[in-house]
Amino acid sequence: MEDLAARLGVTKSAIYHHFAGKDALLAEALDHALSGLEAVAGQVRELDRPAVERLELLVRRSVEVLVERLPYVTLLVRVRGNSDVERDALARRRRIDRLVAELVGEAVSAGDLRPDVDPAVTARLLFGLVNSLTEWLRVDGRHEAPTLAAAVSTVAFDGLRVG
Amino acid sequence: MEDLAARLGVTKSAIYHHFAGKDALLAEALDHALSGLEAVAGQVRELDRPAVERLELLVRRSVEVLVERLPYVTLLVRVRGNSDVERDALARRRRIDRLVAELVGEAVSAGDLRPDVDPAVTARLLFGLVNSLTEWLRVDGRHEAPTLAAAVSTVAFDGLRVG
DNA sequence: CGATTTCCTGACCGTTCGTTCAGTATTGAT
DNA sequence: ATCAATACTGAACGAACGGTCAGGAAATCG
């Protein structure tokens, strides 16, 4: 809170004028990440297309949300459940993860995704890949969201190897 | 330190009998992760094989080290550089990342990896994928290291899609 | 203009947490 | 049995940190 206040050029008290406490501040920030991700999840869920296509769209849109709301998603992926607020965020995240797992399962059943890798593992690797962007991405114009989304999608679905 | 002491069933002072301080403890733990990863990096570097093969071997071996030393690698990937010890660890990690980037570059030049994705991005996605295992992996016998290494390698190099 | 709400400061409180240290068992070698 | 090294405990210290509160500018409105 002190660092944050210093960065804002105000005192800690000023922050407490606008937010009930550290937790409330965290909750708002996490909600900004989660609401974006939940929006694309809902959007994808209602789509009347094969599971693979919906999954790929979910991945691409998630990357776009991640780029657009990078600081908030970065915060989200670092949450470990050390407080009620964090546990609530994890619960919301898990709901999205479940959608991913479902789509992977459907896509495997439909014969569009390889069945030789455990679907549960596939789902986790898929979003591990997406979320790993927060480890190095900087919004400096060097990486456009759609380009990055395409790269992630290509690597995940088609692999790095040629031929 | 308090939590740690409690978990060990001793007082905090007992820890300070064996370690100079929190930083020294962290340094040893991080070194245990880094030495393992550096070992496979060195092993791969000396191999006289095509870059793709060396890269794939590096990925598989890294997954095995990650599984074998899970708590330590988990610690490592959470380090952000908030102290000298953490910055030293990051520097060592970056050296390994550079090897990955070099191998990806070579493999692309050799025509074995797709050139339509920025090699720097490819390298980061590749190890983002590997390191994302720390987010959910639990060593409970449900996931054998070689199986997991194969899954990661398959997804990264051949992709999820069939055909 | 005055009144009220909004925004913010500065000082302070209580807790947490890494660390220190004097003293005490425990172990092992001679 | 003696001595010394080793392995701790318990109490305390001090800095860091989240949070509170009385009061004062600054903006807003009738």
Side-chain angles (χ1 to χ4, degrees):
Chain A
M1 298 299 277
E2 268 168 1
D3 291 354
L4 192 58
R7 184 101 156 223
L8 291 168
V10 294
T11 60
K12 273 188 294 178
S13 316
I15 298 177
Y16 282 90
H17 178 69
H18 298 281
F19 295 91
K22 199 188 176 186
D23 268 17
L25 193 56
L26 180 62
E28 275 205 30
L30 291 176
D31 182 70
H32 192 240
L34 285 162
S35 64
L37 296 171
E38 284 166 351
V40 307
Q43 184 184 332
V44 160
R45 210 193 307 261
E46 289 173 17
L47 217 67
D48 189 26
R49 305 241 83 211
V52 231
E53 280 187 38
R54 277 182 290 155
L55 186 60
E56 193 178 345
L57 187 70
L58 180 57
V59 167
R60 294 176 103 106
R61 285 270 196 287
S62 293
V63 171
E64 285 166 14
V65 169
L66 183 146
V67 174
E68 186 194 335
R69 307 186 182 186
L70 185 56
Y72 305 94
V73 177
T74 301
L75 195 64
L76 179 62
V77 300
R78 292 189 188 172
V79 158
R80 305 288 164 201
N82 295 322
S83 66
D84 284 343
V85 168
E86 293 198 3
R87 278 184 287 276
D88 284 356
L90 284 184
R92 287 173 70 181
R93 238 190 102 177
R94 252 180 266 121
R95 228 164 290 151
I96 299 175
D97 289 350
R98 218 167 306 153
L99 171 63
V100 177
E102 284 170 18
L103 288 176
V104 169
E106 277 186 54
V108 170
S109 298
D112 293 322
L113 285 192
R114 56 187 331 130
D116 55 334
V117 178
D118 178 10
V121 172
T122 300
R124 301 194 121 136
L125 288 180
L126 197 50
F127 265 76
L129 184 66
V130 172
N131 292 331
S132 74
L133 292 178
T134 60
E135 294 289 319
W136 56 272
L137 231 196
R138 297 293 169 264
V139 272
D140 53 3
R142 280 198 305 190
H143 298 285
E144 303 283 334
T147 311
L148 214 55
V152 171
S153 178
T154 301
V155 171
F157 292 100
D158 301 321
L160 290 168
R161 195 137 32 206
V162 306
Chain B
M1 299 300 277
E2 267 169 2
D3 291 353
L4 193 57
R7 182 102 156 223
L8 291 167
V10 294
T11 60
K12 276 186 292 178
S13 317
I15 298 177
Y16 282 89
H17 179 68
H18 297 281
F19 295 90
K22 198 189 178 188
D23 268 17
L25 194 56
L26 179 62
E28 273 205 31
L30 291 176
D31 182 69
H32 192 240
L34 284 163
S35 63
L37 295 172
E38 285 165 349
V40 307
Q43 184 183 333
V44 160
R45 211 192 305 261
E46 288 172 19
L47 218 67
D48 189 28
R49 303 241 86 211
V52 231
E53 281 187 36
R54 280 182 288 157
L55 186 60
E56 192 178 346
L57 188 69
L58 180 57
V59 167
R60 293 175 103 108
R61 285 269 194 291
S62 293
V63 170
E64 285 166 15
V65 169
L66 182 146
V67 174
E68 188 194 333
R69 307 185 181 186
L70 185 56
Y72 304 94
V73 177
T74 302
L75 196 63
L76 179 63
V77 302
R78 292 188 189 173
V79 159
R80 304 290 163 200
N82 294 321
S83 66
D84 283 342
V85 169
E86 294 197 2
R87 277 183 287 275
D88 284 355
L90 284 183
R92 287 172 70 181
R93 239 190 101 179
R94 253 179 265 122
R95 227 165 290 152
I96 301 174
D97 288 351
R98 218 166 307 153
L99 172 64
V100 177
E102 283 169 19
L103 287 177
V104 168
E106 276 186 54
V108 170
S109 297
D112 292 322
L113 284 193
R114 56 186 332 131
D116 54 333
V117 178
D118 177 10
V121 172
T122 300
R124 302 195 120 135
L125 287 180
L126 197 50
F127 265 76
L129 184 66
V130 172
N131 292 331
S132 75
L133 292 176
T134 60
E135 294 289 318
W136 56 272
L137 230 196
R138 298 292 169 266
V139 273
D140 53 4
R142 280 199 304 189
H143 297 286
E144 304 283 335
T147 312
L148 214 55
V152 171
S153 178
T154 301
V155 171
F157 291 100
D158 302 321
L160 291 167
R161 196 142 23 210
V162 306

